Amino acid sequence: DAGVIQSPRHEVTEMGQEVTLRCKPISGHDYLFWYRQTMMRGLELLIYFNNNVPIDDSGMPEDRFSAKMPNASFSTLKIQPSEPRDSAVYFCASSSRGSGGVYTGELFFGEGSRLTVL
Amino acid sequence: AQSVTQLGSHVSVSEGALVLLRCNYSSSVPPYLFWYVQYPNQGLQLLLKYTSAATLVKGINGFEAEFKKSETSFHLTKPSAHMSDAAEYFCAVSEDFNKFYFGSGTKLNVKP
């Protein structure tokens, strides 16, 4: 069973360029989360979706950041324009109800997209 | 408001020694608590979780954690460290399985 798939794994871009990160959650999972990991701030929740609908985007740092989930199997995180302080590892994670119909609380993480903005 | 504090950003133990990674939480309601492990260049993986059942929780790879409400703690332990345990460990808290708040992480180094 495939896990959460993120692309690209590494991205190096110049300041001002648009960056699009992609995520394919585990099939059947109805929650999707975007996290950012930096040395200074650790793991920060940016936004999460439930059934493709954004529920809480209070962690999105500024209007330069946007996220979409057009269907249950795909989500994007876009940064436009990018800045050096956006350099980080961006993780996508998904979760679902267990066999008993209750959320287990387990997040399944992708391997992350390492973004470097020069 | 929820938060997690992990004491010690780096912990070093000898192979075979006890592992103790500390986590204290703050939550206005009974929390759900988790420990995740991150190996280099990988995403986080769940080690164990506390969801209001037994206070002593056993996880994968011989790790366990005890929920102590009076101390607002959820420390992670393993009786005997193995070289393969070297990784970064994150404690997390959630009140509703929707928003998870992670600690700053503790890097575990295991010396031969």
Side-chain angles (χ1 to χ4, degrees), chain A residues 9 31 33 35 37 39 43 45 48 56 58 91 95 102-107 109-111 114, chain B residues 34 36 38 41-46 49 51 88 90 96-104 107:
Chain A
R9 290 293 313 278
Y31 275 88
F33 304 79
Y35 282 88
Q37 186 179 38
M39 291 287 290
L43 268 166
L45 175 64
Y48 76 93
D56 187 335
S58 59
F91 286 103
S95 69
V102 177
Y103 282 105
T104 65
E106 180 173 3
L107 297 178
F109 283 80
E111 293 187 320
R114 182 175 295 275
Chain B
F34 308 83
Y36 280 81
Q38 185 180 29
N41 300 313
Q42 294 188 24
L44 282 70
Q45 305 169 39
L46 182 68
K49 63 183 178 183
T51 56
E88 189 161 16
F90 293 88
D96 56 9
F97 288 165
N98 290 334
K99 299 186 77 165
F100 295 77
Y101 296 88
F102 286 85
S104 54
K107 286 189 177 176

Side-chain angles (χ1 to χ4, degrees), chain A residues 50-63:
Chain A
N50 179 222
N51 291 322
N52 315 335
V53 176
I55 303 301
D56 187 335
D57 65 355
S58 59
M60 295 285 262
E62 359 182 328
D63 291 346

